[in-house]
Amino acid sequence: MTRIETSLMPGLPDIVMQDEKGLFHFIELKHTMGRAVDLSPHQVVWLDNHKSGSAWIMVRRSGPKEPDTIRVYHASAAMEARMHGIDFPPELLSEEPYDWAEIMGLIAPV
C-alpha cells in the first residue's frame, strides 16, 4: 500500500495498493464523528469514473456513545455515501476490533 498525497489530481484516493496478482486497488479514507461522509465533488467524480474497477471508500466512525466502526463502500456508491452518509448501507460493516482480513478480502479478494 502507498499513501498518496497530491494536489495535482483532485479527487485521487488516499491509498493505492497492488495485490499479489499485480492488480491495483484504490481506497479513499474518511473519518466521521457524526453521520456525514465528507466526499468532495472531485472525489465523487473520480470514484464514479473508476467504479468499474477496484475503487473503495473506507469510512471510520468514532464517537463517545457508539462503538467505533469501519464502513466500506464501493466506488459506485460514492454519490449515495455523500448524500446519505453512513445511513447508506455499506458493502461491509466492521465493529472494533476490526476484522481486517474480511475488509481486505472485500477490497482485494485472493
Side-chain angles (χ1 to χ4, degrees), residues 44-58:
V44 171
V45 168
W46 194 99
L47 290 160
D48 188 62
N49 286 340
H50 295 84
K51 65 185 172 195
S52 64
S54 184
W56 303 88
I57 308 157
M58 187 181 297

Side-chain angles (χ1 to χ4, degrees), residues 1-6 9-17 25-32 37-48 54-60 70-75 77-78 81-82 103 107:
M1 284 189 215
T2 302
R3 177 80 186 220
I4 301 171
E5 297 289 337
T6 181
M9 288 187 68
L12 186 67
D14 298 306
I15 294 176
V16 64
M17 178 178 81
H25 311 275
F26 296 89
I27 306 167
E28 178 62 42
L29 301 175
K30 291 295 176 186
H31 177 258
T32 186
V37 176
D38 188 25
L39 290 167
S40 74
H42 289 294
Q43 290 167 329
V44 171
V45 168
W46 194 99
L47 290 160
D48 188 62
S54 184
W56 303 88
I57 308 157
M58 187 181 297
V59 182
R60 178 175 174 243
I70 289 181
R71 289 166 170 80
V72 182
Y73 298 91
H74 187 261
R82 182 173 194 259
I103 293 168
I107 293 170

Side-chain angles (χ1 to χ4, degrees), residues 62-84:
S62 60
K65 297 183 180 183
E66 296 179 34
D68 285 6
T69 57
I70 289 181
R71 289 166 170 80
V72 182
Y73 298 91
H74 187 261
S76 59
M79 180 58 76
E80 288 82 2
R82 182 173 194 259
M83 298 290 291
H84 304 289

